């Protein structure tokens, strides 16, 4: 077994096709000075052809995965227009008298090496984009054919050193059972597209291999689990049978869960919890609504700003927000204002290099510093509020002053719209994310300033425990069920309840089945999660009593270790399952 990183859930079993690496036969001789103009013409023609190809792929992909995911290729188009990248190529041709293809290859290697040396996952993913665009340009300059996949209809599991978005765009999901890459991350463009296409994906195998592990060859039998990242190379019959049964069970579970999509999420003793979705695109919204989501508890607007060459205009943002609001047909839509910085960078907005970017210039801090950008977004959100139940949420709040300053910008935006005669919902609610320990300890003060809370458990755990969950050396210390976190959740919810405002959860813990008794015991009003978590959470909610969860809470709060909390929650869940099995008829249990 090889332990990789699960990047797109699902199990795939089949034979492999190993994608060959790009290899180019480049001319060694220098060009004559008289041929410089011809080389520039060849370069520009290659750029035009590459752009045309990328535009065509973008249009074709839009029909499959939606507009937002297809905009990944806007970044590729931007690279071909990037003056720094193009000047590097032109300089090599003009000063060193090298052929256009040689200049392109040297420019690719220069920028890829530079980005790979940076300790930043986002920049490493941009290096892959440059390599992808550069290889496409090289292909046209050399007249080389595309690396083609098997042409027969036998499905296969694709194995690659790296997989670029354009290579993934050309895959037929009906033929590709799953994908394994030696590099990559869960936040790469390829991972985003694989999830949109529903293809199981395991990444990051390279760092997990040792000298004793045989390389994967075309035709090898392989099993991959895109959920937990496990890979079995040439497994024995017993392992194949075990995973075939797991694969069958996953399909059956999906079919069974679809039957409860239309049922209201109410516990056996009458506690209703709004199960909402975390989304970043209209495509994700469609999946969420199909899973019975009662609204959107977190719309990550930063994805409207990424993979572009400039900030989105007000009308562009308004069109997206309005479309989501209209599609929700009156169900709530909580729009989180721009949350960039940390691990989310914009190519066209320079953020000074920081030793601790997660503790630095990001989220609401950027918005309050760049009020022009902030007000543009707030105007777009307010305009969209005329078309549905839209709410505004500020991220990374750590003080009352920040809330008041943000609200003053909101007030300015409202006055401007009033002067222009633009309609909006004057009762638009404003909330904050509780994701900084300081916000927890002044939750009672913040509750007097806003209409609702939403607990962002990802950053709250990270900041509370001083653990970077992306750091492999200490990621095992990232423990959502830490006793300290449980106490902070209790403080936050009690402050909200005293002030009479609703409180939700929008971090990863919202979709964690084991955490459900905690949310019921604390009397959480809303849980917002990824679309694929909604039905499993609803199924457990329908059989878990709030009264029993409340009886469990004092025991959980008395636990001294995370392990004790895990054990108590596991025992509780087993008891719920036994009670359900005892009360179900033979057909229902089967």
């Amino acid at each position: 077994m090889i332990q990789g990183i699960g990047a797109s859930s699902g199990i795939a079993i089949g034979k492999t096709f190993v994608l060959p690496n790009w290899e180019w036969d480049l001319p060694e001789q220098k060009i004559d000075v008289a041929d410089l103009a011809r080389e520039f013409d060849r370069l520009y023609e290659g750029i035009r052809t590459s752009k045309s190809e990328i535009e065509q792929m973008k249009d074709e992909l839009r029909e499959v995965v939606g507009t937002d995911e297809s905009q990944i290729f806007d970044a590729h188009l931007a690279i071909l227009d990037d003056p720094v990248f193009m000047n590097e190529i032109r300089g090599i041709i003009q000063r060193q008298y090298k052929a256009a293809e040689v200049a392109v290859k040297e420019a690719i290697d220069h920028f890829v090496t530079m980005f790979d040396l940076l300790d930043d996952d986002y920049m490493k993913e941009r290096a892959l984009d440059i390599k992808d665009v550069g290889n496409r340009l090289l292909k046209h300059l050399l007249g080389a054919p595309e690396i083609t996949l098997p042409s027969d209809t036998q499905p296969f599991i694709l194995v690659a050193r790296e997989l670029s978005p354009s290579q993934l765009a050309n895959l037929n999901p009906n033929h590709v059972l799953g994908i394994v890459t030696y590099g990559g991350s869960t936040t790469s463009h390829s991972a985003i597209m694989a999830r949109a296409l529903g293809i199981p994906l395991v990444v990051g195998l390279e760092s997990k291999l040792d000298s004793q592990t045989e390389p994967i060859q075309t035709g090898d039998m392989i099993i991959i689990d895109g959920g937990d990242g496990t890979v079995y190379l040439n497994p024995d019959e017993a392992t194949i049978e075990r995973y075939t049964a797991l694969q069958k069970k996953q399909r059956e579970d999906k079919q069974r869960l679809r039957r409860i999509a239309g049922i209201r999420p109410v516990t056996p003793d009458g506690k209703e919890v709004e199960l909402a979705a975390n989304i970043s695109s209209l495509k994700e919204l469609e999946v969420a609504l199909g899973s019975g989501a009662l609204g959107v508890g977190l719309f990550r607007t930063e994805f409207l700003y990424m993979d572009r060459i400039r900030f989105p205009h007000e009308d562009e943002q308004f069109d997206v927000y309005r479309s989501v609001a209209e599609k929700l047909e009156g169900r709530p839509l909580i729009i989180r204002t721009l949350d960039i910085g940390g691990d989310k960078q914009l190519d066209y907005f320079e953020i000074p290099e920081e030793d601790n970017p997660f503790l630095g210039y990001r989220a609401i801090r950027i918005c309050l510093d760049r009020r022009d950008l902030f007000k543009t977004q707030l105007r777009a959100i307010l305009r969209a509020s005329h078309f549905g139940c839209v709410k505004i949420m500020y991220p990374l709040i750590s003080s009352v002053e920040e809330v008041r300053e943000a609200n003053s910008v909101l007030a300015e935006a409202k006055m401007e719209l009033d002067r222009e005669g633009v309609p909006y919902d004057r009762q638009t609610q404003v909330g904050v994310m509780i994701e900084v320990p300081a916000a927890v300890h002044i939750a009672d003060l913040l509750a007097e300033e806003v209409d609702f809370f939403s607990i962002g458990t990802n950053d709250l755990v990270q900041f509370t425990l001083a653990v970077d969950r992306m750091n492999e050396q200490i990621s095992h210390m990232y423990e959502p069920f830490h006793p300290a976190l449980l106490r902070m959740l209790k403080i936050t919810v009690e402050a909200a309840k005293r002030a009479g405002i609703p409180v939700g959860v929008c971090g990863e813990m919202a979709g964690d089945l084991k955490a459900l008794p905690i949310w019921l015991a604390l009397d959480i009003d809303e849980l917002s999660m990824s679309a694929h978590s909604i039905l499993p959470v609803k199924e457990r909610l329908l059989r878990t009593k709030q009264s029993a969860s409340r009886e469990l809470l004092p025991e959980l709060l008395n636990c001294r270790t995370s392990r004790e909390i895990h054990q108590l929650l596991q025992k509780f869940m087993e008891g719920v399952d036994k009670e359900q099995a005892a009360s179900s008829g033979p057909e229902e249990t089967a």
Side-chain angles (χ1 to χ4, degrees):
M1 185 192 83
I2 308 167
Q3 187 61 56
I5 302 168
S8 179
S9 63
I11 291 171
I13 305 169
K15 293 195 172 180
T16 61
F17 175 79
V18 179
L19 193 68
N21 291 325
W22 293 98
E23 291 183 7
W24 305 110
D25 186 15
L26 300 174
E28 295 181 5
Q29 68 274 19
K30 291 191 175 183
I31 60 173
D32 191 273
V33 66
D35 293 328
L36 281 174
R38 184 174 66 85
E39 289 305 304
F40 282 121
D41 286 342
R42 291 180 61 230
L43 173 64
Y44 299 143
E45 180 58 32
I47 291 170
R48 282 192 293 270
T49 307
S50 297
K51 282 184 175 179
S52 177
E53 250 183 14
I54 293 170
E55 288 283 9
Q56 183 179 348
M57 278 196 303
K58 180 182 172 183
D59 291 340
E60 291 172 354
L61 192 66
R62 187 184 294 116
E63 302 299 317
V64 181
V65 299
T67 300
D68 294 280
E69 281 79 4
S70 68
Q71 285 176 348
I72 282 168
F73 289 104
D74 287 342
H76 289 204
L77 293 168
I79 289 168
L80 289 171
D81 287 325
D82 185 88
V84 177
F85 184 56
M86 286 301 129
N87 286 341
E88 179 82 10
I89 297 170
R90 283 191 288 262
I92 293 170
I93 295 173
Q94 191 163 11
R95 291 191 297 271
Q96 301 179 35
Y97 300 105
K98 292 186 177 181
E101 51 267 45
V102 177
V104 170
K105 181 65 168 63
E106 288 187 8
I108 296 170
D109 292 345
H110 169 71
F111 284 104
V112 167
T113 300
M114 182 173 66
F115 286 168
D116 276 343
L117 289 173
L118 297 175
D119 187 20
D120 187 306
D121 288 339
Y122 178 82
M123 297 308 292
K124 290 180 190 296
E125 294 303 336
R126 299 299 72 75
L128 181 56
D129 286 336
I130 289 175
K131 192 182 296 185
D132 187 23
V133 172
N135 281 327
R136 179 169 300 283
L137 183 51
L138 277 172
K139 181 193 73 171
H140 292 303
L141 289 169
L142 291 165
E146 288 269 15
I147 294 177
T148 56
L149 297 173
S151 56
D152 59 26
T153 56
Q154 183 66 36
F156 57 90
I157 294 174
L158 184 65
V159 179
R161 173 68 48 192
E162 303 170 311
L163 194 63
S164 67
S166 61
Q167 289 172 315
L168 191 50
N170 288 318
L171 297 182
N172 183 341
N174 295 322
H175 293 173
V176 181
L177 300 171
I179 302 169
V180 176
T181 65
Y182 289 96
S185 72
T186 58
T187 59
S188 70
H189 284 160
S190 297
I192 292 168
M193 288 177 60
R195 289 192 287 270
L197 291 166
I199 300 175
L201 170 65
V202 174
V203 302
L205 242 61
E206 191 156 40
S207 62
K208 311 296 181 181
L209 300 175
D210 56 41
S211 58
Q212 307 300 316
T213 307
E214 293 184 14
I216 301 173
Q217 307 285 344
T218 293
D220 282 340
M221 175 59 74
I222 197 172
I223 297 172
I224 71 169
D225 187 335
D228 63 17
T230 51
V231 175
Y232 291 88
L233 180 59
N234 296 316
D236 56 29
E237 285 300 319
T239 304
I240 293 174
E241 286 179 12
R242 178 160 57 91
Y243 272 89
T244 300
L246 283 172
Q247 189 181 53
K248 181 182 177 184
K249 186 176 185 304
Q250 281 186 357
R251 289 172 182 157
E252 290 173 348
D253 285 346
K254 282 183 179 178
Q255 288 293 109
R256 175 175 51 78
L257 288 172
R258 285 195 188 103
R259 296 200 292 266
I260 65 171
I263 298 175
R264 298 290 297 182
V266 183
T267 67
D269 52 355
K271 166 64 178 176
E272 181 166 1
V273 181
E274 293 282 313
L275 297 185
N278 296 339
I279 69 165
S280 57
S281 69
L282 274 168
K283 190 72 178 179
E284 287 179 83
L285 176 61
E286 290 170 12
V287 176
L289 292 176
S291 299
L294 297 178
V296 169
L298 172 62
F299 185 10
R300 302 183 183 95
T301 59
E302 55 271 15
F303 288 92
L304 297 176
Y305 292 73
M306 298 172 77
D307 298 325
R308 305 170 60 95
I309 60 174
R310 56 166 175 77
F311 286 104
H313 296 309
E314 180 182 320
D315 285 344
E316 292 177 88
Q317 295 185 61
F318 164 64
D319 287 340
V320 174
Y321 304 151
R322 182 188 62 185
S323 296
V324 176
E326 288 178 335
K327 208 165 189 65
L328 282 168
E329 298 178 334
R331 285 165 287 202
L333 165 61
I334 298 177
I335 299 178
R336 180 175 70 186
T337 56
L338 183 59
D339 186 8
I340 57 168
D343 61 340
K344 289 169 282 193
Q345 304 289 321
L346 304 181
D347 293 336
Y348 52 88
F349 180 61
E350 187 174 350
I351 296 176
E353 189 173 332
E354 301 173 291
D355 291 334
N356 280 308
F358 281 97
L359 302 179
Y361 189 58
R362 55 175 290 211
I364 196 66
R365 298 166 184 178
I366 291 177
C367 290
L368 295 179
D369 185 50
R370 289 292 307 271
R371 287 181 170 230
D372 54 330
L373 302 176
F374 191 32
K375 190 190 292 183
T376 296
Q377 183 176 35
L378 291 175
R379 281 175 55 98
I381 296 172
L382 286 170
R383 288 169 60 191
S385 70
H386 183 63
F387 299 88
C389 180
V390 176
K391 305 178 186 182
I392 298 169
M393 181 163 67
Y394 305 137
L396 208 73
I397 291 294
S398 59
S399 69
V400 168
E401 289 91 339
E402 286 172 327
V403 177
R404 290 178 177 174
E405 195 175 344
N407 280 338
S408 72
V409 182
L410 180 64
E412 289 175 18
K414 288 180 177 180
M415 285 190 290
E416 289 179 2
L417 293 177
D418 285 338
R419 284 197 300 268
E420 296 164 18
V422 177
Y424 64 90
D425 180 6
R426 296 179 179 279
Q427 305 304 316
T428 300
Q429 292 189 359
V430 175
V432 295
M433 288 189 72
I434 303 293
E435 51 189 338
V436 177
V440 172
H441 292 292
I442 60 166
D444 56 332
L445 305 179
L446 291 173
E448 296 175 0
E449 305 282 333
V450 298
D451 299 304
F452 64 91
F453 283 168
S454 187
I455 302 171
T457 56
N458 300 357
D459 268 340
L460 186 57
V461 175
Q462 184 166 248
F463 290 140
T464 300
L465 303 183
V467 172
D468 178 0
R469 59 195 173 122
M470 304 302 289
N471 185 331
E472 288 188 8
Q473 290 181 296
I474 58 170
S475 59
H476 64 281
M477 297 174 67
Y478 181 88
E479 175 52 78
F481 295 92
H482 192 286
L485 189 80
L486 198 56
R487 283 160 172 72
M488 297 184 90
L489 294 172
K490 185 172 181 287
I491 292 169
T492 303
V493 178
E494 286 178 346
K497 296 296 179 182
R498 283 196 303 270
I501 64 170
V503 56
V505 183
C506 63
E508 289 295 316
M509 276 185 78
D512 190 329
L513 295 177
K514 192 180 285 186
L516 183 60
I518 295 173
W519 309 135
L520 290 176
L522 293 174
D523 203 29
I524 289 289
D525 300 293
E526 177 199 75
L527 295 172
S528 189
M529 62 201 76
S530 61
H532 72 266
S533 297
I534 292 173
L535 290 177
V537 169
K538 182 187 285 189
E539 182 183 45
R540 182 152 294 278
L541 179 75
L542 293 173
R543 63 173 69 163
T544 306
K545 293 179 180 177
Q546 184 181 39
S547 56
S549 301
R550 281 178 164 163
E551 289 173 8
L552 179 68
L553 186 59
E555 293 183 64
L556 291 171
L557 291 169
N558 282 330
C559 288
R560 293 174 175 267
T561 67
S562 302
R563 184 178 180 183
E564 290 175 17
I565 292 174
H566 279 285
Q567 289 173 339
L568 263 179
L569 290 170
Q570 184 63 37
K571 184 179 177 182
F572 180 85
M573 289 172 67
E574 289 170 359
V576 170
D577 289 340
K578 284 179 183 176
E579 186 178 339
Q580 173 69 18
S583 62
S584 300
E587 286 186 19
E588 194 175 340
T589 309

